[in-house]
Amino acid sequence: SAVISQKPSRDICQRGTSLTIQCQVDSQVTMMFWYRQQPGQSLTLIATANQGSEATYESGFVIDKFPISRPNLTFSTLTVSNMSPEDSSIYLCSVRTGDGYTFGSGTRLTVV
Amino acid sequence: GQNIDQPTEMTATEGAIVQINCTYQTSGFNGLFWYQQHAGEAPTFLSYNVLDGLEEKGRFSSFLSRSKGYSYLLLKELQMKDSASYLCAVEAYGQNFVFGPGTRLSVLP
């Protein structure tokens, strides 16, 4: 299965600022997925990132708030823009592999 | 869309057996996954069921009935390290991979 390197692992940010999260995969993958996991809750899909096209966002998530880049088949970034305390969550990237979905180690974001 | 349901919390004793149920409603079902997530960590893959029946993998087994929209994860010989959240997730054609709410399992000595 794929190995994903995600960074930063955690950050504390001031409200109104932006944070960019990076995921690097050790193999080429068509689709990468970005999830949010709020405290004590399950994972919610934010968007699907395809190389060479605009990301597809789920209901409740918009590009202006969560811009995504996918410059090649092994890398993607998610930016959390104009942050507020409600954005405090764990953000995870994921890829589909032969035996399921593999996740990055997650980014624990705290907005103060 | 998809609708997935799991019990919120379960408690079991070390050495015992526990069954965590998952019910789902979806069209174009393609497969069901079980993940384990320890607090503060990313989910890790446990099992994948596409066809009806039981898949056994060591102490963990997963069962699927597509006609009933039902799956369960069976954990045998429970250990303290099995205390975690267990997430079922459904993959469907033309739809995204959706996670259930998760079941928080506490294993007591």
Side-chain angles (χ1 to χ4, degrees):
Chain A
S1 59
V3 176
I4 303 176
S5 173
Q6 182 174 345
K7 58 182 180 182
S9 58
R10 60 178 62 230
D11 207 342
I12 301 173
C13 300
Q14 297 290 325
R15 67 177 66 199
T17 63
S18 298
L19 175 72
T20 296
I21 302 166
Q22 300 179 7
C23 275
Q24 178 76 51
V25 190
D26 68 346
S27 57
Q28 294 185 337
V29 292
T30 305
M31 291 192 289
M32 292 181 71
F33 305 91
W34 287 97
Y35 287 86
R36 181 175 73 182
Q37 187 171 28
Q38 294 178 304
Q41 298 189 24
S42 188
L43 285 76
T44 301
L45 182 65
I46 297 171
T48 302
N50 297 313
Q51 193 268 334
S53 63
E54 211 168 85
T56 304
Y57 289 82
E58 295 301 299
S59 175
F61 298 96
V62 296
I63 188 171
D64 290 346
K65 176 68 176 177
F66 298 101
I68 287 172
S69 78
R70 186 81 203 276
N72 57 54
L73 291 174
T74 64
F75 187 78
S76 180
T77 69
L78 170 77
T79 299
V80 185
S81 303
N82 188 25
M83 288 184 283
S84 66
E86 291 72 34
D87 295 320
S88 297
S89 282
I90 297 173
Y91 293 84
L92 301 108
C93 62
S94 175
V95 299
R96 180 70 158 95
T97 57
D99 57 356
Y101 289 77
T102 301
F103 290 84
S105 52
T107 298
R108 182 181 294 273
L109 171 62
T110 302
V111 184
V112 297
Chain B
Q2 299 175 51
N3 187 33
I4 305 173
D5 198 25
Q6 300 178 239
T8 304
E9 292 190 27
M10 298 184 71
T11 302
T13 305
E14 196 174 14
I17 299 173
V18 70
Q19 177 175 312
I20 302 174
N21 296 325
C22 173
T23 58
Y24 64 89
Q25 294 174 315
T26 189
S27 55
F29 177 83
N30 191 37
L32 186 142
F33 297 78
W34 283 96
Y35 281 82
Q36 180 191 60
Q37 186 178 27
H38 286 99
E41 299 182 14
T44 55
F45 171 79
L46 289 178
S47 68
Y48 176 46
N49 292 70
V50 177
L51 302 176
D52 288 354
L54 189 68
E55 295 278 345
E56 298 188 72
K57 204 185 270 189
R59 294 190 298 116
F60 293 3
S61 303
S62 58
F63 171 83
L64 175 66
S65 169
R66 291 175 299 171
S67 62
K68 295 181 180 177
Y70 168 69
S71 174
Y72 67 72
L73 180 70
L74 193 70
L75 292 75
K76 302 176 187 175
E77 301 169 18
L78 279 173
Q79 302 175 10
M80 299 298 289
K81 67 178 182 180
D82 296 329
S83 292
S85 288
Y86 291 85
L87 308 166
C88 73
V90 173
E91 186 178 49
Y93 289 110
Q95 299 180 54
N96 288 309
F97 189 55
V98 177
F99 281 89
T103 299
R104 189 160 52 247
L105 174 66
S106 298
V107 180
L108 306 177

